[in-house]
Amino acid sequence: MERIRVAVAGAGGRMGREVVKMVLQDDTLELTAAIASSTGPVDAASLVGLPSCGVTVTNDFTAALVNSKPDVLVDFTTPNTVMEHTTLAIQHGVRPVVGTTGFTPEQIEELQAICKEKELGGLIAPNFSIGAILMMRFAQQAAKYFPDLEIIEYHGDQKLDAPSGTAVKTAELVAQVRAEHKQGNPNEEEKIEGARGGYYNGFRIHSVRLPGIFAQQEVIFGGNGQTLRIRHDSYERAGYMPGVNVAIKKVMQLDQLIYGFEHILDQE
Ligand code: NAP
């Protein structure tokens, strides 16, 4: 069976290195190019402590695409560069698998239009964690039967935004199926401001920020005489790789650009 040829942009970054490692360790994938802006022309395998693979890291994105003829481009770079990378990839008939965040809805529509015209598969996914996506799905299912809930999310203390994007997305999914009502005692009084967390559609979201934590979330449902807890724990970036691996294989069968990894799971 022919291996899927993969180029990785952002190969020197935290996510990009994990992708290089995952590709090199999967016999059905072949690393054809590794693009990084500041590692210098080293062997890509040296970035992840593996034996030499014969692919020299380059900072010339277009030359890498044209010369190495990949089937798929995996991009974990920066919001400034990802639009240009993805457009160039599609123009060269290379299927994009993009984890870089920061696209505007208009940019996604534009890229979807070019892919449609070329009947080219691709995926842009703000979250490749299969566990996190299932946790959100299960929470949405549970909210139909347990309309009283609270979300607690835990991240490292350097995270800038609160609540996390995953918590907001979970809240939106829950709100789609739960009749809006304000939970708790109507006369409740906060003795310390913020003690009850952020308010969303009648329920609360709490953001814990501590050193040592990577990314975790718990959705607690309370009903008559019972509680249900749905929890997902991420410990390191490697946790995103099974999702990226599935995506690389899936886009080979697609003829359109999909936004959101959950839609890939629907097709499994
Ligand atoms: P990071 O460690 O800062 O890596 C970004 C890398 O991109 C850096 O090594 C940077 O190289 C490189 N880069 C920037 N411009 C480039 C260019 N023109 N050509 C080649 N490489 C270029 O960040 P990260 O933690 O890996 O995250 C990367 C992106 O993935 C972010 O947008 C983040 O939000 C997103 N992310 C997504 C998921 C998901 O599940 N979808 C999960 C985690 C993170 P230099 O340092 O040399 O400039």
Side-chain angles (χ1 to χ4, degrees), residues 167-247:
V168 173
K169 178 83 178 167
T170 310
E172 288 169 358
L173 289 171
V174 160
Q176 284 172 14
V177 299
R178 168 188 175 273
E180 186 174 345
H181 70 284
K182 190 165 187 281
Q183 291 174 197
N185 190 324
N187 300 319
E188 180 180 83
E189 193 188 333
E190 275 187 338
K191 299 287 189 194
I192 297 175
E193 194 189 327
R196 290 289 293 116
Y199 182 90
Y200 184 93
N201 261 44
F203 60 91
R204 300 286 177 169
I205 306 178
H206 310 267
S207 297
V208 177
R209 296 290 176 264
L210 283 173
I213 296 177
F214 184 57
Q216 299 166 329
Q217 181 171 299
E218 190 169 30
V219 188
I220 309 175
F221 296 90
N224 271 345
Q226 59 182 323
T227 58
L228 169 66
R229 287 166 197 261
I230 298 173
R231 182 179 171 108
H232 177 253
D233 301 281
S234 276
Y235 302 107
E236 53 183 3
R237 286 178 179 77
Y240 295 106
M241 291 308 119
V244 178
N245 187 285
V246 167

Side-chain angles (χ1 to χ4, degrees), residues 39-51:
T39 63
V42 296
D43 188 282
S46 71
L47 299 174
V48 294
L50 290 175

Side-chain angles (χ1 to χ4, degrees), residues 8 10-12 20 31 33-47 53-60 64:
V8 180
V20 167
L31 185 74
I35 305 119
S37 37
S38 61
T39 63
V42 296
D43 188 282
S46 71
L47 299 174
C53 67
V55 174
T56 305
V57 177
T58 174
N59 60 9
D60 188 338

Side-chain angles (χ1 to χ4, degrees), residues 96-108:
V97 168
V98 181
T100 313
T101 46
F103 282 102
T104 63
E106 293 74 26
Q107 286 177 323
I108 290 167

Side-chain angles (χ1 to χ4, degrees), residues 9-16 35-39 59 61 75-79 81 85 98-101 125-129 237 240:
R14 288 166 293 186
M15 287 296 283
I35 305 119
S37 37
S38 61
T39 63
N59 60 9
F61 180 81
D75 189 294
F76 280 96
T77 58
T78 61
T81 47
H85 282 181
V98 181
T100 313
T101 46
N127 194 335
F128 274 102
S129 164
R237 286 178 179 77
Y240 295 106

